[in-house]
Amino acid sequence: MSRLKNKLVPLGVLILFSAGSCTQTAPTGPVAGLGSVPVTKYVAIGNSLTAGYQSNALYASSQSYSYPSLIARQLRTAGANLGTFEQPLVSDPGTPDTAGGTAARLEILGFSGSLPLVGSRSVAAGTALNAALARPYDNLGIPYAPLLSFLDTTNAFPGALGFFTNHVLRPGGTLPKSVFQQVVALQPDLITFWLGNNDVLGFATSGGVSPSSPTDAGVFAAQYALALDTLRSALPNARILVGNIPDVTSIPFFTTVGPYLQSVGITQAWGIHSTGDTLLMSLQTNLLTLLAQSSFASGKGLARLNPLPNHVILDATEIATAQAAVTAFNNIIAAAAAQNSALLFDANTLLKRVQQDGYFIAGEVFTSDYLLGGLFSLDGVHPSSRGYGIVANEMLRTMNGGFGMNIPFADVSEIPGIPVPLLKGVLPRIEADAFEHFHLLFSPHR
């Protein structure tokens, strides 16, 4: 993807996170507790959602609010003797961009005129804080990891293991080489397993370009069954919770630009003297990603002879393909969970309900509106710290019901939110190349 000269592009602020008419209350019962079996080691398996990735990067001040870290804290509150819950921390401002130099993290930088500006600061990236840990990390979430990576780390990351994989698995040392082997080395009695999102998300975020299709459902079924069967065989007494996959087309990355254009029109949005009727009509069936802002800034998409590039559009056929993959994958996950006596965390249903009605906590309503909703981070794909708090609590709700536990919920009001200028109705501006790092990392050719 080429860098565009125009650095500031208007960004719409319309959307909902994915969870719905939900209210959190403290679990009932006389005292907090872990049920009939103690918890001495908790391990989290997953991708960027598990790692605590947000706003286009991984950084320590957000990793402390990853859902596994929050679950570990609440387990201790209920009496678990876990010791230190270790994560592969990166000092602020976080992980580097794809060029390997400056920090990729998106922040609210200030104002461009009267509008808040979102982009990356030109500062050096952070560094690993605990890479010398003599054992595997308890949080084994690897950003951009597909399902295949659990058992076959090398082939899941063609060309090289990459920054995130090396950071978590540290293959140059004496530790086991795969995620599965590291889990077994830790001998956990409680496991959360949330993989599979990236087997469809990369297809969607690239507009169906790179990769050109989600993972084949038959391949996904074989990989998921093998992963869970192998995990259960190695740890027959562990309590396992698996998460399914939300509708990837319902996140702000896809649902912000189109509704904004339809509400205000092309001319008002970008100050270009064109009606853009063809584009506005196409928005009835297609989704534009946040990457489309850069294209509009260069004049693309406003005439048939100068169309938007494919990678910023998810057309009707591609939307159907992504949604069909999510449905197929979730049926596979549910069947494998039942076969292996694992609990199912239904993230898909949760996020649909939140999208419809918002999420209510202690009288406060959270939505997934970009910037103002409080649940999504600045990349429009990953939750904010408070969003991760809600994920942690809903996982705990599932554990309490399925494992006979009584673990208190995290207090989401005490988790820091994104500092957003109090400018209701004012549209932010975003640097044109802000999502280049995000897009390239999802490509199988990275």
Side-chain angles (χ1 to χ4, degrees):
M1 184 191 305
S2 62
R3 293 182 178 268
L4 301 175
K5 294 182 180 179
N6 190 323
K7 298 290 287 183
L8 300 177
V9 187
L11 179 63
V13 195
L14 299 163
I15 197 132
L16 288 167
F17 170 60
S18 320
S21 185
C22 299
T23 302
Q24 287 185 359
T25 58
T28 58
V31 293
L34 300 169
S36 59
V37 181
V39 177
T40 59
K41 174 61 68 175
Y42 162 51
V43 170
I45 302 161
N47 48 45
S48 56
L49 293 172
T50 297
Y53 192 99
Q54 65 174 284
S55 294
N56 205 31
L58 202 62
Y59 49 101
S61 61
S62 69
Q63 288 176 274
S64 62
Y65 299 103
S66 70
Y67 77 76
S69 178
L70 293 171
I71 287 175
R73 293 183 203 179
Q74 298 311 114
L75 287 168
R76 290 193 199 92
T77 301
N81 184 17
L82 295 179
T84 302
F85 185 81
E86 295 284 0
Q87 302 188 99
L89 299 175
V90 179
S91 65
D92 285 44
T95 47
D97 59 23
T98 47
T102 59
R105 175 181 171 184
L106 297 178
E107 301 181 60
I108 298 176
L109 302 177
F111 290 84
S112 173
S114 62
L115 305 182
L117 175 65
V118 175
S120 300
R121 291 188 289 133
S122 297
V123 295
T127 58
L129 295 178
N130 56 344
L133 185 68
R135 65 170 181 84
Y137 298 112
D138 301 305
N139 187 338
L140 290 169
I142 301 176
Y144 310 103
L147 173 60
L148 175 65
S149 66
F150 178 61
L151 293 173
D152 187 358
T153 306
T154 300
N155 289 320
F157 299 93
L161 292 183
F163 175 85
F164 292 110
T165 318
N166 283 327
H167 185 49
V168 176
L169 299 182
R170 295 162 290 165
T174 60
L175 295 176
K177 304 305 182 188
S178 74
V179 176
F180 167 69
Q181 290 170 330
Q182 295 207 6
V183 173
V184 173
L186 291 170
Q187 288 292 296
D189 41 33
L190 177 64
I191 299 168
T192 54
F193 183 98
W194 199 7
L195 279 170
N197 307 67
N198 288 342
D199 288 76
V200 60
L201 185 61
F203 162 78
T205 56
S206 70
V209 172
S210 180
S212 59
S213 65
T215 298
D216 176 80
V219 172
F220 187 93
Q223 291 178 356
Y224 204 95
L226 180 61
L228 224 53
D229 290 350
T230 304
L231 184 63
R232 174 55 76 196
S233 295
L235 299 165
N237 298 318
R239 285 177 281 191
I240 303 173
L241 178 144
V242 302
N244 67 8
I245 304 170
D247 178 2
V248 297
T249 66
S250 66
I251 57 179
F253 188 80
F254 298 104
T255 57
T256 298
V257 176
Y260 172 62
L261 291 181
Q262 289 176 303
S263 67
V264 304
I266 297 287
T267 302
Q268 181 177 339
W270 273 274
I272 298 173
H273 298 295
S274 171
T275 60
D277 290 339
T278 301
L279 175 63
L280 289 177
M281 290 179 62
S282 74
L283 293 178
Q284 298 175 13
T285 56
N286 301 335
L287 294 174
L288 299 183
T289 74
L290 290 180
L291 296 168
Q293 339 272 323
S294 299
S295 297
F296 283 124
S298 65
K300 294 184 181 296
L302 301 175
R304 290 182 180 276
L305 297 180
N306 191 23
L308 289 170
N310 288 338
H311 74 271
V312 306
I313 304 171
L314 201 64
D315 65 31
T317 299
E318 292 162 344
I319 293 169
T321 297
Q323 292 175 338
V326 169
T327 299
F329 293 174
N330 284 346
N331 289 336
I332 292 164
I333 291 170
Q339 182 68 30
N340 288 278
S341 301
L343 284 184
L344 176 65
F345 165 56
D346 192 352
N348 185 278
T349 296
L350 171 66
L351 297 183
K352 285 180 180 178
R353 297 201 327 263
V354 171
Q355 188 179 24
Q356 293 172 0
D357 301 311
Y359 198 101
F360 298 82
I361 304 176
E364 185 174 0
V365 182
F366 289 80
T367 75
S368 56
D369 292 348
Y370 188 77
L371 287 184
L372 300 177
L375 291 183
F376 270 100
S377 69
L378 298 179
D379 61 34
V381 173
H382 299 90
S384 64
S385 294
R386 287 186 173 181
Y388 281 123
I390 289 171
V391 170
N393 284 351
E394 291 302 327
M395 284 189 170
L396 289 173
R397 189 192 302 277
T398 303
M399 292 181 194
N400 285 338
F403 292 146
M405 295 174 164
N406 197 54
I407 306 167
F409 295 146
D411 186 347
V412 175
S413 68
E414 293 185 352
I415 297 174
I418 297 174
V420 177
L422 298 177
L423 296 172
K424 297 290 186 180
V426 175
L427 300 174
R429 291 180 179 269
I430 189 165
E431 290 187 349
D433 61 355
F435 287 92
E436 182 172 359
H437 167 77
F438 180 83
H439 173 62
L440 290 177
L441 281 174
F442 266 116
S443 169
H445 306 295
R446 57 188 179 282

